[in-house]
Amino acid sequence: MSILIAGGGIGGLTLALMLRARGIACTVLEAAEDIRPLGVGINALPHCIRELAALDLLPRLDAIAIRTRQLTYANHRGQPIWSEPRGTYGGHDVPQFSIHRGRLQAMLWQAAAERLPQGALRCGHRLLGFTQDAEGVTARFATASGEVTLQGAALIGADGIHSTLRALLHPEDGGIRWNGIQMWRGAVDWPAFDGGDAMVIAGDAVAKLVLYPIAPGLTPETRLTNWVIYAKTGDDGSAPPRREDWSRRGRLDDFRHLVDRLSLPFNDTAAMIGATAEIFEYPMVDRDPLPWWTQGRVSLLGDAAHAMYPVGSNGASQAVLDARCLADLMAEHAAPEALAAYDATRRPATTAIVQSNRLGGPERVIGLVAQRAPDGFAAIGDVATPEEIAAICGGYAQLAGFARPAGG
């Protein structure tokens, strides 16, 4: 009997590929009518890439992404606070990739289409509800031609932050939580900086800029460059913008004053953002950790289980780790036992990351320096000790599972 996976995003597709590699049948039911490369840039960290490499996807990733060489935290003037090599440059056996989320999803969908039996990937199937018994799960889906019913050994909700399955399992859940921070994002073909493979997070106590290339550019001297500017515009815990206002078109005039705070010697940020054809707005949101994910033969995965603030580059990576854990357990145990063990393993680990991200994750090092030296500094050692900075940046890497190997 097939494992039913509600959701054809990064987590759901990775789970499907991993189940297939272990000889376990599955069916992916995606609500959207088709798969389009939507979204913005993300970073896939080594602990995630290691799992994708085990699926022989490394060449496909190299074709659509950038191997990230270095990450630097800096103040609003571009003065470095902390720099560290990333991926293979930092001693890992696999890279870190900066990539367009939609292109990553499309690549995983194509790989799944090639490897899974015909009919195992289905668009236009929106989950409505389920029942379960000792023999399996029966799930109902809405389609363009009417309601359909499918049976499986288990049902996994990988249906994102607005998860239908999460709502069915936890009708009392408090819903999406906004921390009051608004993000403006875009991507543009732009002259490469720092070798064309570096990531920078810069700013002060008011606003931060995240900047990194996600694909080769139109010329050898350019890269498709992803940028994000974010700042607090509301109160922590206030009602988030309406769902239909998410990823709406943004206007430069709404955040030009934040751009003007930045003076980076290696990049003309104002010109770059001014040249961006499409600017989007997103609220920075997460969900409160759940007391449990699993109910018998039904469980959650990825953002449906543990939506987290996009700091520390961990959302997609944790979904991939969920998939690996669950696939391994499914190969060894019956579905109820596998799902119970998966819940016990992954839920505490991801809860800790959600909570750390609410404190700012590793990016809080920028706020620390801004508080002590709002106008810049002559030497970073005059502002914060190496031990203080390493505790913030290195401590998060240890928590999230991508710390540099010993000697790396």
Side-chain angles (χ1 to χ4, degrees), residues 384-399:
T385 67
E387 292 77 17
E388 278 184 293
I389 296 173
I392 294 173
C393 299
Y396 183 84
Q398 194 72 43
L399 171 72

Side-chain angles (χ1 to χ4, degrees), residues 307-385:
M308 57 187 65
Y309 294 152
V311 298
S313 305
N314 240 303
S317 295
Q318 292 301 318
V320 170
L321 297 185
D322 289 349
R324 170 60 190 271
C325 177
L326 183 52
D328 283 350
L329 290 166
M330 283 284 193
E332 298 173 1
H333 306 283
E337 291 75 23
L339 293 182
Y342 159 73
D343 190 315
T345 300
R346 290 297 297 156
R347 186 171 49 81
T350 54
T351 292
I353 300 172
V354 170
Q355 292 170 340
S356 178
N357 283 11
R358 285 183 172 180
L359 299 175
E363 295 170 25
R364 68 181 185 271
V365 73
I366 294 175
L368 173 71
V369 171
Q371 182 182 27
R372 296 178 181 178
D375 297 321
F377 49 81
I380 186 59
D382 298 334
V383 180
T385 67

Side-chain angles (χ1 to χ4, degrees), residues 22-63:
R22 289 157 179 77
I24 302 171
C26 63
T27 305
V28 177
L29 296 312
E30 166 58 36
E33 293 295 332
D34 54 25
I35 298 299
R36 293 178 291 163
L38 302 176
V40 288
I42 61 171
N43 278 275
L45 302 175
H47 56 343
C48 157
I49 296 302
R50 191 170 294 112
E51 306 304 340
L52 298 182
L55 292 169
D56 298 320
L57 297 175
L58 206 54
R60 300 189 191 215
L61 287 164
D62 272 317

Side-chain angles (χ1 to χ4, degrees), residues 74-80 193-194 200 202 262-269:
N75 68 2
H76 62 293
R77 294 183 172 180
Q79 294 177 294
F193 65 90
D194 196 9
V200 175
L262 299 165
S263 180
L264 308 182
F266 54 85
N267 186 69
D268 188 341
T269 304

Side-chain angles (χ1 to χ4, degrees), residues 128-185:
L128 295 175
F130 72 91
T131 58
Q132 62 175 317
D133 55 29
E135 303 301 319
V137 176
T138 300
R140 296 180 295 109
F141 295 87
T143 73
S145 56
E147 185 175 311
V148 299
T149 300
L150 298 173
Q151 294 182 323
L155 171 63
I156 308 301
D159 48 347
I161 192 170
H162 297 292
S163 170
T164 296
L165 188 55
R166 179 180 175 124
L168 292 171
L169 292 174
H170 291 275
E172 78 292 345
D173 183 37
I176 290 169
R177 185 179 183 277
W178 185 38
N179 64 358
I181 292 177
Q182 191 76 10
M183 301 181 291
W184 293 267
R185 309 191 64 155

Side-chain angles (χ1 to χ4, degrees), residues 189-267:
D189 191 67
W190 196 248
F193 65 90
D194 196 9
D197 55 1
M199 178 178 180
V200 175
I201 303 176
D204 58 13
V206 175
K208 295 181 180 66
L209 167 74
V210 184
L211 184 66
Y212 55 90
I214 56 175
L218 298 177
T219 72
E221 293 77 30
T222 63
R223 300 289 185 273
L224 179 60
T225 303
N226 182 85
W227 59 265
V228 187
I229 285 184
Y230 65 90
K232 202 167 189 66
T233 62
D235 294 329
D236 191 2
S238 57
R242 296 174 303 167
R243 180 173 175 178
E244 57 268 28
D245 286 342
W246 289 28
S247 69
R248 67 179 178 183
R249 293 294 180 90
R251 299 186 314 128
L252 177 55
D253 286 345
D254 291 340
F255 64 100
R256 190 187 302 273
H257 62 291
L258 303 176
V259 179
D260 292 341
R261 300 181 68 86
L262 299 165
S263 180
L264 308 182
F266 54 85
N267 186 69

